[in-house]
């Protein structure tokens, strides 16, 4: 093991909450992907779009881009695939015909419920890992950090 030169500040990964957050996100993705494959033929990008739409029906694709860690092209492809599979549907905005709002279809709602139940059963949702208070505290800290990074 080489020592760092005196003029270099070393970031200890054990003490880096940002590194641990990235590590946790990767571990979650690795846990969620097999559940998605077992229950559906969705990939993570499609799932992220689906949960964003389920969370707030009527979101636009642009709102999904703003909400998720995915760029416009990935969201666009995921939306197109989900529409083709009849999991979500686009509805033109009444105020601005250029905008489309996204909604789960009836079969999309059924699939969404099936996936969430499978994730809860297998532990992939993470809801069983922390107490309700720990989840509340963690969400407050994450919201604060996200606000400061934006």
């Amino acid at each position: 093991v080489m020592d760092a030169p005196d003029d270099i500040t070393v970031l200890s990964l054990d003490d880096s909450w940002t590194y641990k957050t990235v590590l946790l996100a990767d571990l979650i993705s690795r846990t969620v992907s097999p559940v998605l494959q077992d229950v559906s033929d969705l990939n993570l990008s499609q799932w992220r779009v689906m949960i964003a739409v389920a969370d707030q029906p009527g979101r636009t694709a642009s709102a999904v881009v703003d909400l998720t860690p995915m760029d416009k092209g990935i969201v666009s492809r995921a939306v197109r695939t989900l529409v083709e599979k009849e999991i979500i549907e686009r509805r033109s905005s009444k105020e601005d015909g250029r905008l489309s709002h996204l909604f789960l279809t009836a079969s999309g709602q059924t699939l969404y419920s099936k996936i969430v139940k499978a994730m809860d059963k297998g532990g992939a949702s993470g809801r069983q890992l922390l107490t309700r208070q720990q989840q509340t505290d963690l969400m407050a800290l994450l919201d604060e950090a996200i606000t400061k990074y934006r």
Side-chain angles (χ1 to χ4, degrees), residues 30-114:
R30 290 175 191 227
T31 304
V32 168
S33 288
V35 175
L36 287 176
Q37 291 171 359
D38 287 347
V39 178
S40 72
D41 61 349
L42 300 182
N43 63 33
L44 277 173
S45 299
Q46 294 158 357
W47 172 240
R48 287 177 181 145
V49 169
M50 188 178 185
I51 61 175
V53 172
D55 177 60
Q56 187 176 325
R59 276 198 165 116
T60 63
S62 294
V64 173
V65 169
D66 293 342
L67 182 69
T68 64
M70 300 183 295
D71 67 35
K72 196 177 196 175
I74 291 171
V75 169
S76 179
R77 284 188 296 278
V79 166
R80 185 172 50 251
T81 300
L82 292 169
V83 168
E84 288 169 1
K85 293 180 180 198
E86 299 181 353
I87 293 170
I88 64 171
E89 63 182 350
R90 286 187 182 110
R91 296 182 197 160
S92 293
S93 170
K94 292 177 179 145
E95 295 81 32
D96 184 346
R98 298 170 295 175
L99 282 179
S100 292
H101 296 275
L102 306 172
F103 297 87
L104 291 180
T105 62
S107 62
Q109 290 172 358
T110 300
L111 179 59
Y112 175 79
S113 293
K114 185 178 176 183

Side-chain angles (χ1 to χ4, degrees), residues 121-141:
K121 184 177 178 186
S125 70
R127 292 196 264 203
Q128 305 88 342
L129 298 177
L130 303 174
T131 66
R132 172 51 58 203
Q133 187 59 53
Q134 288 172 321
Q135 290 178 50
T136 300
D137 294 345
L138 178 59
M139 294 304 287
L141 289 169

